[in-house]
């Protein structure tokens, strides 16, 4: 394996390990940190591509964090990159959950742990809001009327009409497929 590829794989492992170790709040939060690391800092991935990877990670079955690690790892290093990114992503929660499960009785009744987790909820909400603003501003910058309609309709479907998220994701995917087919037919 060439030296540059080894360096990228090593950076990928330690980056996903670090992101996973210091991320609380689920997959949407990890997407933000992945964007900051892989788009803004390393410039490995373009912002539009990260938006696509985030959409794929969310719409695929399983944990968003692991799905995103699979996609970013595959993009950066093929199969070895995918394995390294997934291993880096799952080590911290696996270790933490193992410790918590071992000491579950002590954690479950500890008032300070409960207060700590309550306080972390506010921080997680802020990070998720950052993700929404970042990804939403990318759609707004694009100035594609179809993307704006899909975004606004998805928001209304979720918060006003309380439509199941699965249906929203499927409808958005269908809209994307139709838009791409229409673009290709228009070009030919």
């Amino acid at each position: 394996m060439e030296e540059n590829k080894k360096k990228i794989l090593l950076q990928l492992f330690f980056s996903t390990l670090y992101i996973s170790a210091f991320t609380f709040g689920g997959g949407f939060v990890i997407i933000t940190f992945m964007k900051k690391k892989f788009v803004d800092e390393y410039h490995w991935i373009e912002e539009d591509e990260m938006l696509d990877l985030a959409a794929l990670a969310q719409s695929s079955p399983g944990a968003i964090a692991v799905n995103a690690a699979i996609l970013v790892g595959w993009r950066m290093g093929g199969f070895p990159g995918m394995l390294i990114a997934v291993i880096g992503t799952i080590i911290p929660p696996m270790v933490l959950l193992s410790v918590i499960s071992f000491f579950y009785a002590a954690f479950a009744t500890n008032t300070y742990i409960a207060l700590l987790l309550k306080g972390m909820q506010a921080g997680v909400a802020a990070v998720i809001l950052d993700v929404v603003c970042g990804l939403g501003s990318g759609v707004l910058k694009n100035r594609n009327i179809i993307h704006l309609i899909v975004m606004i309709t998805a928001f209304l479907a979720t918060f006003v009409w309380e439509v199941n998220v699965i249906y929203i994701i499927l409808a958005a995917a269908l809209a994307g497929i139709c838009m791409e087919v229409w673009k290709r037919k228009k070009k030919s």
Side-chain angles (χ1 to χ4, degrees):
M1 189 181 297
E2 67 184 60
E3 191 63 34
N4 190 37
K5 182 130 178 161
K6 284 182 185 178
K7 182 182 175 190
I8 288 174
L9 292 177
L10 198 60
Q11 276 184 298
L12 183 63
F13 174 76
F14 284 114
S15 295
T16 54
L17 184 74
Y18 171 80
I19 290 169
S20 184
F22 295 103
T23 303
F24 295 92
F28 295 113
V29 177
I30 209 163
I31 295 290
T32 303
F33 287 105
M34 284 183 162
K35 182 214 173 275
K36 287 179 181 172
K37 183 63 86 176
F38 302 130
V39 174
D40 301 337
E41 187 178 329
Y42 291 157
H43 305 289
W44 287 350
I45 301 172
E46 295 294 320
E47 191 164 343
D48 288 346
E49 188 176 6
M50 190 67 206
L51 183 63
D52 292 341
L53 294 177
L56 282 171
Q58 181 185 1
S59 60
S60 300
I64 295 172
V66 174
N67 292 344
I70 289 169
L71 295 168
V72 169
W74 185 268
R75 168 70 173 75
M76 294 316 305
F79 188 75
M82 179 187 70
L83 283 177
I84 284 172
V86 168
I87 290 168
T89 301
I90 65 171
I91 286 174
M94 188 172 63
V95 169
L96 183 63
L97 290 174
S98 296
V99 170
I100 289 173
S101 66
F102 189 72
F103 296 106
Y104 178 73
F107 280 118
T109 59
N110 189 313
T111 306
Y112 297 109
I113 297 291
L115 292 172
L116 174 78
L117 293 174
K118 266 279 196 230
M120 288 172 56
Q121 287 176 353
V124 169
V127 172
I128 290 173
L129 182 61
D130 180 51
V131 172
V132 169
C133 292
L135 295 177
S137 69
V139 171
L140 293 174
K141 285 178 190 173
N142 199 1
R143 294 186 183 211
N144 183 319
I145 191 70
I146 305 272
H147 293 164
L148 289 171
I149 290 170
V150 169
M151 185 173 75
I152 292 167
T153 305
F155 175 79
L156 292 172
T158 301
F159 289 102
V160 176
W161 302 307
E162 297 180 7
V163 175
N164 189 315
V165 175
I166 293 170
Y167 298 128
I168 295 169
I169 292 170
L170 291 174
L174 182 63
I177 290 169
C178 291
M179 197 168 92
E180 189 61 31
V181 168
W182 181 72
K183 267 197 239 180
R184 290 181 186 205
K185 280 187 179 182
K186 192 175 175 183
K187 285 182 181 178
S188 44

